[in-house]
Amino acid sequence: MNVPHLDSIDLDSIDTDAPLFDPAAFRLGEEEADLKALARRLGRSRFAPRAAEYDRDARFPTENYTDLGAHGLLSICIPREHGGMGVGYRAYCTTAAEIGRYCAATALTWNMHTCTCLWTGALADDLDMARDEREQHRRRRALHYRRVVAEGALYAQPFSEGGVYDGTTRMTPFATVANRVPGKVPGGWRINGRKIFASLAGAADYYGIMCGDAGSDEPPSRRDAMYVAVPATAEGVDVVGDWDPLGMRGTVSRTIVFKDVFVDDDAILMPRGLYFQASMRWPHMFLSLSPTYLGIAQASLDFTVRYLRGEIAGQNGGMSGEKRRQSASKQLAVAQMFIALQQMKALWFQAASEARVDPTKEQVLRALAAQYTVMEGANDLAQLALRTCGGRSLLKSLPLERFYRDSRCGSVMIPWTAETCLERIGRESLYEAGEEDA
């Protein structure tokens, strides 16, 4: 790709699209507004021109990560005292949504990396730990933060294992297990298992995996899960299989096999049981996949408006300028898309703004509703965009068919799949905690 490097002066001169969330209308702070503007400039000038190639070749967006690192965005949620930006949950999510407008694979994989820093940082600080356990956790996370800030290390979050996921009780144990290794100095663990749909496979420097403690006296459960960073270069780590999916092709989510992989104690990102506590007390942690898809929804409307106004190069046999906006049916469709997107954004923004430890029941239900609305609504909007723009928009020389394919992937992403969201909203609306029918 013959794309020149951008410095900060170049970025400042780039004309950007209108913000997904207007800073004045949504009362954004200066930092959040500036981050979103940076994301739009990078997205329009760097990420969007590269997106088709990543999709076509199912190739990881390495060049985009170089740009993210150059502008400090790999450490966006690392605390300031560790050299990061120290950005909070919502500001990160609104920034991710902007990136999702231009390259969904970049936004989605960036989420996996950033959540490693967010979960071990601000989120973990809200959870209960014994004093010595908290001190140990702070020491260990400092090692990982230093790798990101000083070395540009990438962290993946491969959780999926291919078994039946119980989204209602969240108690299904992880099949990947860690066995304590006796007599080794320093102490450590031997890990065996596999992860499927492992985004950043072959690109990440560390795979942050969930695994059960095989030495626990308790029956296998997610209650005893540990969050462990496995070096990609460790002996026994193997990336296998092809990656040729419908959408999100640039995530390169191949299968990773772990066979007798040794990691030392400092590889533990979250101590035993803390992930389960987070999933129960900080449930908005799972909403962070949705910003990518909100960005795709915005991109679908953006494209449709420009296409109907004759502003898309290549829409008419290589020429732009053919306007199709006079049709009443197309005007009606654009109105429907605009209304759907505004509803999506309003619900999602409210839910993201409520993210905190121990949210109320209504706030949790609203987060589930926001997840469902975005993950289903993004594809509905992309589908309507295709019908409105017509046959030429199906061509791979235009981005709309990619928006459609990428957006179809959101509803099946665990743990908050579309079905899980509906099941939980229905049940938890009708039952209070602990209630059962006779």
Side-chain angles (χ1 to χ4, degrees):
M1 297 181 186
N2 297 318
V3 181
H5 176 69
L6 277 175
D7 58 27
S8 59
I9 297 177
D10 294 322
L11 280 181
D12 289 341
S13 67
I14 292 170
D15 185 29
T16 64
D17 298 307
L20 204 157
F21 294 101
D22 179 77
F26 286 88
R27 299 181 176 89
L28 304 184
E30 183 179 357
E31 178 184 57
E32 189 170 359
D34 288 347
L35 281 169
K36 283 164 45 57
L38 171 62
R40 289 195 305 281
R41 291 188 175 99
L42 283 171
R44 184 163 179 172
S45 62
R46 304 287 84 188
F47 302 164
R50 298 167 177 158
E53 181 175 331
Y54 297 140
D55 174 73
R56 183 185 66 244
D57 299 340
R59 184 169 73 83
F60 186 76
T62 303
E63 295 85 355
N64 290 355
Y65 272 81
T66 299
D67 288 329
L68 289 171
H71 294 280
L73 293 172
L74 293 182
S75 57
I76 186 171
C77 288
I78 290 179
R80 288 187 174 88
E81 60 265 30
H82 292 281
M85 291 185 178
V87 170
Y89 178 87
R90 193 192 71 189
Y92 155 67
C93 285
T94 55
T95 305
E98 295 286 10
I99 292 176
R101 297 170 72 176
Y102 305 99
C103 182
T106 297
L108 196 62
T109 51
W110 186 51
N111 176 72
M112 317 298 182
H113 166 83
T114 301
C115 279
T116 300
C117 306
L118 183 66
W119 291 7
T120 57
L123 191 151
D125 288 343
D126 284 339
L127 303 177
D128 294 333
M129 285 183 265
R131 178 178 296 180
D132 58 343
E133 187 176 50
R134 189 176 299 280
E135 290 176 357
Q136 186 180 65
H137 171 70
R138 287 174 174 168
R139 181 185 62 78
R140 286 173 175 168
R141 74 183 180 187
L143 299 175
H144 298 283
Y145 292 162
R146 187 158 57 248
R147 291 170 181 166
V148 175
V149 174
E151 303 168 21
L154 295 183
Y155 280 71
Q157 273 191 335
F159 287 6
S160 299
E161 296 183 332
V164 177
Y165 174 70
D166 185 350
T168 302
T169 65
R170 292 156 286 173
M171 298 296 281
T172 310
F174 288 104
T176 302
V177 296
N179 285 274
R180 187 69 179 165
V181 178
K184 251 184 124 54
V185 179
W189 303 81
R190 190 77 66 186
I191 296 174
N192 285 276
R194 71 167 193 154
K195 300 292 183 179
I196 67 171
F197 292 109
S199 297
L200 293 92
D205 299 290
Y206 296 89
Y207 299 120
I209 66 170
M210 290 296 170
C211 54
D213 180 355
S216 172
D217 294 331
E218 301 293 328
S221 167
R222 294 202 175 199
R223 289 183 182 276
D224 67 1
M226 296 190 301
Y227 185 20
V228 181
V230 179
T233 55
E235 184 178 355
V237 176
D238 195 13
V239 178
V240 301
D242 297 325
W243 179 245
D244 189 19
L246 169 74
M248 290 297 178
R249 295 170 56 80
T251 64
V252 190
S253 304
R254 298 168 65 194
T255 296
I256 305 176
V257 177
F258 304 91
K259 184 174 175 58
D260 293 331
V261 179
F262 176 79
V263 296
D264 62 32
D265 285 335
D266 285 340
I268 296 177
L269 293 165
M270 277 183 161
R272 180 177 180 268
L274 199 66
Y275 167 77
F276 181 78
Q277 184 188 158
S279 70
M280 303 299 289
R281 300 186 59 203
W282 233 104
H284 289 76
M285 64 192 288
F286 300 129
L287 185 63
S288 67
L289 293 168
S290 61
T292 295
Y293 294 88
L294 189 61
I296 298 174
Q298 180 70 61
S300 296
L301 177 60
D302 291 343
F303 176 90
T304 302
V305 169
R306 289 171 181 159
Y307 188 89
L308 296 180
R309 287 176 52 84
E311 297 172 355
I312 301 294
Q315 71 180 68
N316 183 27
M319 302 292 291
S320 60
E322 182 181 353
K323 296 180 176 60
R324 299 166 179 266
R325 62 189 179 187
Q326 299 93 340
S327 167
S329 63
K330 295 187 184 300
Q331 294 171 12
L332 176 63
V334 169
Q336 291 173 323
M337 293 172 66
F338 179 85
I339 292 170
L341 182 60
Q342 294 305 312
Q343 293 169 334
M344 211 182 300
K345 287 164 58 174
L347 175 58
W348 181 89
F349 187 84
Q350 179 63 29
S353 299
E354 294 172 342
R356 62 180 179 85
V357 70
D358 298 330
T360 66
K361 173 181 173 178
E362 181 178 351
Q363 289 170 336
V364 174
L365 295 179
R366 189 157 35 246
L368 290 163
Q371 173 88 355
Y372 177 86
T373 299
V374 170
M375 296 307 211
E376 288 285 87
N379 188 251
D380 290 343
L381 206 146
Q383 181 178 345
L384 181 54
L386 285 171
R387 292 174 56 190
T388 303
C389 294
R392 287 198 185 107
S393 67
L394 295 171
L395 298 175
K396 287 188 177 293
S397 58
L398 298 175
L400 191 53
E401 61 85 30
R402 184 177 74 250
F403 299 160
Y404 174 78
R405 289 185 289 106
D406 284 347
S407 64
R408 186 64 280 170
C409 301
S411 293
V412 299
M413 296 193 72
I414 63 172
W416 281 6
T417 65
E419 289 74 20
T420 296
C421 290
L422 292 177
E423 289 171 5
R424 288 194 56 189
I425 292 169
R427 180 175 179 82
E428 292 172 28
S429 294
L430 296 171
Y431 291 81
E432 297 297 332
E435 280 188 342
E436 296 289 343
D437 294 324

